[in-house]
Amino acid sequence: MRPLRLVKAQAASLAGTVVDFLVTIFCVEILHSWILLATVLGNTAGGITNFYLGRYFVFKAAEQNRDTQGFRYFLVWLGSMLLNAAGVYLFTKVLHANYVQSKVVVSLVVGICFNYFLQLHFVFKKS
């Protein structure tokens, strides 16, 4: 594992997470959206941000087929979104935790244990 790539991946993940959180908080606090809808919208915006940073900055995989990468990323992102939404739901509705704190905990676990490894070995893998 290359340490610099891991650092770049974490920076891209952080950027995607910032976009995700801003959209989620905006939807809940300003638009008064349902928490799960806001989580999905935030995840969508963060996912798009993370895909482009991963493709061009982290894994430098722009020479690979964008559509194939996009499809693979979509599969990983969909799994990530479902895990994030389920986790936030569990923490907020079952454990009665604050939705922002819930997103922090769930995002960290999903990002480290799920997203990075699938992006490295499935989405942006070198042929």
Side-chain angles (χ1 to χ4, degrees):
M1 179 178 351
R2 291 195 226 152
L4 182 57
R5 182 173 52 203
L6 181 60
V7 169
K8 285 181 174 184
Q10 295 313 305
S13 178
L14 179 62
T17 299
V18 167
V19 170
D20 177 353
F21 277 55
L22 289 175
V23 170
T24 301
I25 293 168
F26 177 81
C27 288
V28 171
E29 300 298 331
I30 306 301
L31 302 179
H32 307 290
S33 296
W34 183 39
I35 291 171
L36 286 182
L37 174 62
T39 298
V40 169
L41 294 173
N43 253 267
T44 301
I48 291 167
T49 301
N50 187 259
F51 173 76
Y52 281 100
L53 288 173
R55 179 174 165 80
Y56 295 104
F57 174 67
V58 177
F59 300 101
K60 298 190 186 311
E63 74 283 350
Q64 296 174 9
N65 185 290
R66 185 189 64 214
D67 294 339
T68 301
Q69 282 179 338
F71 179 71
R72 288 178 178 175
Y73 186 88
F74 175 76
L75 293 176
V76 173
W77 170 83
L78 185 60
S80 176
M81 182 187 65
L82 293 172
L83 289 170
N84 275 281
V88 169
Y89 181 82
L90 174 72
F91 275 81
T92 59
K93 297 302 179 188
V94 177
L95 302 176
H96 306 290
N98 175 277
Y99 77 94
V100 174
Q101 293 169 342
S102 299
K103 275 191 72 72
V104 169
V105 170
V106 172
S107 293
L108 285 171
V109 171
V110 172
I112 292 168
C113 298
F114 185 81
N115 294 342
Y116 175 73
F117 291 104
L118 285 175
Q119 287 182 22
L120 177 63
H121 298 294
F122 178 64
V123 177
F124 301 111
K125 73 177 182 173
K126 301 291 182 185
S127 301

